[in-house]
Amino acid sequence: MSDRWILKYKILALSLILGLLISLGAYFYKQHLDRIHEEEIKKPYKEAGLSDEQAEEFLAKYPGQNGNYTWVSFAKSWANDKTLADESLKIFGNLKESLEYLYFANSNGYDGLNYLKDFPQLAKNYKEVLPAYSVNSTLVKTVYDQFQRDSRISFDRNELFLKGLKEYQDLNLINKNLMIQTIHALNNLTLAYYQQGLPKLDKNTVWLLTNATQISKDIADFSPIIFYSVDGNNYVLESDVARNTWILAEHLKRIEESGFNIIEHPEMFEGLNGKVIANAYSLFDAKYGVSYAENFKSGRIIKPSDRDVLDLMMLQWSLYSNKAPQLNGSEKLYNRDFPWYDSAQLKQLYPDKNTRRQALFFLFYIPNTTFDTEKKERAVGLEGARLSLTQSEKEYEAISNLYPNGSVQHLFGLRSPRYDYYGWLVDRQHHGLDNTVHQFTGVRKGEYGEPNYTDNFIELVNQRNGIDQHLTKNWKYFDIAKFAAGYERWNPKVPEIEGINDLIPQTLKAFGFPVYWITQDHSPPGAIGYEWAISLPQYVEDNMRKEFGDKIVFGPANLFGLYACKEGLIKDGATEILVALYAPKNYPYEAVRIYLMKKP
């Protein structure tokens, strides 16, 4: 190879080496510049307190940062809690809101991360929710879950939750260990306020409700009551739970204001709950209840918050509770086998919860009308409801003063009111119900006669062993019912039909008997298709079933009366025995037919 070619190769090699050196120099220079640039980028973050390693990691995580004050502030939070900062930026989507959230959470020591995981949909409402969540996340999640799942809600659910949570905060309940029934009650108050438009209750009233529900779940149990029919068409009576919770709270307050410390008597809670259910249904839900009658009479639409409506419920409490031992009424004449004022005793006497609640419903239902015995005219609406209570209390006093040995005047002399009770049976036996009364008493129509049907009838009754005698012998309170019903049957101020419809059932309730009517479809001239019936405690019903088997029937709440004599009614021509229950407003018929017997 010539020297010329060798020189050429040397020059080429030197060129390559020079190029390589220049390239390496440029590379290292660029690296140097990059390091300088990187340091410049990291500088504000490091100056803010991030380590070199943290700054590098942050820049790798957020390459789009620009080192301004906002990013540096975010980086400081990020260095303190990477997971929380990452989650906040992901949820809020912008630095401004993310930083505001991080500052709020961190400066107050709140549980910002788990809140965002549990409530991303309420991230923007953190100022309202996060403080409570950080104190009691279980409560907040429970309250939220209930509002989300409640089928009754037509309001925006998240908004309703926020309003409800504020109620808890205003009442200082966030840090309390609340029972589930208390949470239900407070949430229902929120529904009552914001969905139904009922007035907000003062804090003391809500605290009273809260304390009551913490003590017992019975007080606010507005679950359905079922009425069973032998034809399978059972009826489920449902309550407006939000409205009833509001009424309960207001009722508790008024009882406290009357001077009776109800919160110290949780044994009365189940009875009070049954009272609210019955009162509310009779006032607002029944198709032909008090609201219907008042609107028909005056054009007025009554509301739960109306003073006279609340006064009416309180009137019933005052008149009924004055027979309770807690209010010094233990010596008064009363059906102590329905101790609505003592749930422990009541549960022993009526062990089935549904039956017990049916009986409470019948006891506390307020009628929409009554017969005014002084004016000799019918009173309706709120006036009639009030009069039904005050008038029956007067009857209670008059009868109590006579019982057990007092008499009333007849044309042929003084007689016990029991005489008129048996006179009622004589009348029914002579008007197409011979077999029914025979089954009830053991006496046939042809066995007694002139000059005084009833005296002769009673003499035979005392010699026989029918249903009436069984009840009289085995249940001491039945005699009070006979005495009271007989008195109203005798009462010269009360026509017969008004006695059956009004005075007898209303007076029996004043004596503590849950009462309703049993209906049958055999109604010959001179008789009537329905008669009063009273609830029997379970031990009495059990004895009756053992003694008389399927010859008799019982209605809801263990109702029993003359028209529960199935064998006799069938012989007299009846094909159906039923309870025609008060129908709700949306029901297609005038009454809910609860069949006790229905022949094919």
Side-chain angles (χ1 to χ4, degrees):
M1 182 178 295
S2 67
D3 292 341
R4 186 176 177 182
W5 281 103
I6 292 173
L7 179 62
K8 199 182 272 192
Y9 281 121
K10 286 181 179 180
I11 293 170
L12 178 61
L14 287 172
S15 298
L16 290 173
I17 292 170
L18 181 61
L20 179 61
L21 290 173
I22 292 171
S23 297
L24 286 172
Y27 170 77
F28 286 119
Y29 181 69
K30 184 179 182 305
Q31 288 289 94
H32 174 68
L33 291 178
D34 286 346
R35 282 195 295 273
I36 293 174
H37 180 65
E38 184 178 329
E39 288 301 318
E40 289 178 351
I41 294 173
K42 289 193 291 184
K43 182 180 179 181
Y45 299 108
K46 294 173 70 175
E47 288 177 347
L50 274 72
S51 68
D52 190 73
E53 184 180 347
Q54 287 176 323
E56 287 185 2
E57 185 180 351
F58 179 77
L59 293 174
K61 178 75 176 180
Y62 297 103
Q65 58 74 43
N66 60 16
N68 65 12
Y69 175 79
T70 306
W71 272 108
V72 171
S73 298
F74 177 75
K76 289 169 66 176
S77 294
W78 180 89
N80 184 56
D81 190 331
K82 298 175 186 178
T83 308
L84 173 59
D86 290 341
E87 188 71 15
S88 71
L89 188 57
K90 182 180 77 173
I91 295 295
F92 287 98
N94 65 83
L95 281 174
K96 180 178 181 298
E97 290 182 297
S98 175
L99 275 171
E100 290 173 349
Y101 176 79
L102 291 169
Y103 176 77
F104 185 78
N106 291 331
S107 63
N108 291 288
Y110 293 147
D111 187 359
L113 178 59
N114 286 318
Y115 173 74
L116 291 177
K117 289 181 177 180
D118 286 335
F119 291 103
Q121 68 277 29
L122 294 175
K124 294 183 183 296
N125 303 103
Y126 65 87
K127 289 184 179 180
E128 301 159 87
V129 185
L130 180 56
Y133 177 89
S134 299
V135 173
N136 194 339
S137 62
T138 300
L139 172 64
V140 174
K141 287 189 285 188
T142 302
V143 173
Y144 181 81
D145 181 64
Q146 288 191 8
F147 278 118
Q148 294 304 307
R149 294 193 299 154
D150 194 330
S151 61
R152 300 168 297 160
I153 294 177
S154 57
F155 210 79
D156 180 274
R157 294 176 184 273
N158 285 347
E159 184 178 347
L160 200 61
F161 162 72
L162 294 173
K163 291 180 182 296
L165 186 63
K166 189 174 186 307
E167 298 294 327
Y168 285 86
Q169 292 167 323
D170 290 346
L171 293 162
N172 297 319
L173 294 174
I174 295 299
N175 63 345
K176 300 296 189 293
N177 182 22
L178 299 180
M179 300 289 189
I180 191 65
Q181 64 265 19
T182 303
I183 297 172
H184 285 155
L186 293 171
N187 288 358
N188 277 306
L189 281 185
T190 300
L191 274 177
Y193 299 154
Y194 297 104
Q195 188 161 291
Q196 299 191 2
L198 288 169
K200 286 193 68 173
L201 301 169
D202 62 80
K203 288 183 180 181
N204 288 336
T205 301
V206 182
W207 278 327
L208 185 62
L209 174 68
T210 300
N211 290 336
T213 55
Q214 286 289 95
I215 294 170
S216 171
K217 64 182 180 180
D218 289 340
I219 188 76
D221 180 5
F222 297 115
S223 56
I225 303 173
I226 304 173
F227 292 83
Y228 295 99
S229 180
V230 297
D231 65 351
N233 293 318
N234 303 328
Y235 175 66
V236 179
L237 189 151
E238 298 191 60
S239 294
D240 183 328
V241 180
R243 179 203 63 201
N244 285 9
T245 303
W246 188 95
I247 291 172
L248 172 63
E250 183 69 31
H251 206 11
L252 283 167
K253 179 191 77 172
R254 285 170 169 251
I255 293 171
E256 284 278 323
E257 290 176 347
S258 73
F260 179 69
N261 192 354
I262 184 67
I263 206 70
E264 292 187 356
H265 295 279
E267 73 277 6
M268 302 181 88
F269 285 0
E270 184 175 22
L272 182 59
N273 169 262
K275 180 181 185 303
V276 170
I277 292 173
N279 287 179
Y281 190 89
S282 56
L283 284 161
F284 306 110
D285 299 336
K287 179 179 287 191
Y288 300 112
V290 177
S291 60
Y292 169 85
E294 185 61 34
N295 183 255
F296 181 84
K297 173 187 174 183
S298 66
R300 175 185 167 192
I301 298 174
I302 62 173
K303 302 185 296 296
S305 55
D306 291 345
R307 179 175 293 275
D308 53 357
V309 170
L310 294 168
D311 288 346
L312 176 66
M313 289 187 272
M314 192 61 197
L315 173 64
Q316 188 190 52
W317 166 265
S318 300
L319 296 177
Y320 282 24
S321 66
N322 69 25
K323 287 94 175 175
Q326 297 92 329
L327 285 99
N328 302 316
S330 58
E331 299 303 315
K332 291 188 175 184
L333 187 65
Y334 203 67
N335 172 22
R336 302 296 169 185
D337 264 0
F338 193 73
W340 62 267
Y341 45 76
D342 188 328
S343 59
Q345 292 182 29
L346 188 62
K347 287 172 181 176
Q348 290 180 347
L349 291 160
Y350 287 77
D352 179 74
K353 178 181 177 180
N354 192 66
T355 302
R356 191 165 65 244
R357 297 175 81 215
Q358 291 170 343
L360 287 167
F361 180 80
F362 288 145
L363 179 68
F364 288 111
Y365 190 95
I366 301 176
N368 67 356
T369 182
T370 194
F371 180 74
D372 189 328
T373 59
E374 299 301 324
K375 295 181 180 179
K376 306 294 183 184
E377 63 184 26
R378 183 152 295 281
V380 299
L382 287 170
E383 178 192 3
R386 279 191 297 270
L387 185 62
S388 74
L389 296 170
T390 56
Q391 187 169 256
S392 61
E393 183 70 6
K394 290 178 181 177
E395 299 300 294
Y396 167 87
E397 293 294 342
I399 294 166
S400 295
N401 289 333
L402 287 175
Y403 190 85
N405 299 316
S407 300
V408 293
Q409 185 66 53
H410 284 264
L411 290 175
F412 39 82
L414 293 172
R415 294 287 190 277
S416 165
R418 299 178 189 86
Y419 174 91
D420 296 274
Y421 162 81
Y422 286 110
W424 161 62
L425 294 174
V426 169
D427 178 82
R428 295 299 182 258
Q429 191 162 48
H430 279 78
H431 290 93
L433 295 172
D434 182 21
N435 293 292
T436 303
V437 176
H438 173 252
Q439 183 187 1
F440 194 64
T441 63
V443 179
R444 286 281 184 193
K445 181 172 63 175
E447 294 185 80
Y448 54 95
E450 299 293 349
N452 190 322
Y453 284 151
T454 304
D455 282 333
N456 297 340
F457 180 83
I458 293 172
E459 185 177 347
L460 291 173
V461 166
N462 291 333
Q463 299 170 13
R464 305 291 169 83
N465 292 304
I467 294 171
D468 171 84
Q469 296 90 327
H470 176 89
L471 277 171
T472 303
K473 178 182 178 181
N474 294 287
W475 189 42
K476 63 181 179 179
Y477 297 107
F478 188 58
D479 187 59
I480 298 176
K482 290 162 60 173
F483 197 93
Y487 180 90
E488 297 304 340
R489 173 82 180 174
W490 162 84
N491 193 335
K493 296 181 178 181
V494 184
E496 180 180 10
I497 192 65
E498 282 73 14
I500 296 169
N501 291 338
D502 304 311
L503 271 296
I504 290 176
Q506 290 163 20
T507 301
L508 286 172
K509 290 203 289 186
F511 279 94
F513 294 96
V515 61
Y516 203 73
W517 300 270
I518 293 180
T519 299
Q520 48 87 16
D521 64 345
H522 174 66
S523 173
I528 192 169
Y530 55 92
E531 293 285 3
W532 59 271
I534 56 177
S535 293
L536 305 181
Q538 195 61 48
Y539 77 92
V540 176
E541 180 184 321
D542 290 343
N543 287 338
M544 295 273 288
R545 289 187 184 278
K546 183 177 180 181
E547 184 73 18
F548 303 105
D550 63 358
K551 296 178 181 180
I552 57 175
V553 294
F554 291 90
N558 294 349
L559 284 177
F560 190 84
L562 177 64
Y563 282 177
C565 296
K566 181 176 78 170
E567 182 182 58
L569 282 172
I570 290 174
K571 290 179 179 179
D572 284 328
T575 63
E576 297 176 352
I577 304 174
L578 64 134
V579 167
L581 194 68
Y582 306 110
K585 289 179 179 177
N586 60 352
Y587 200 72
Y589 306 107
E590 292 191 357
V592 180
R593 298 170 73 86
I594 304 299
Y595 286 98
L596 316 181
M597 184 276 288
K598 188 176 183 181
K599 294 184 71 175

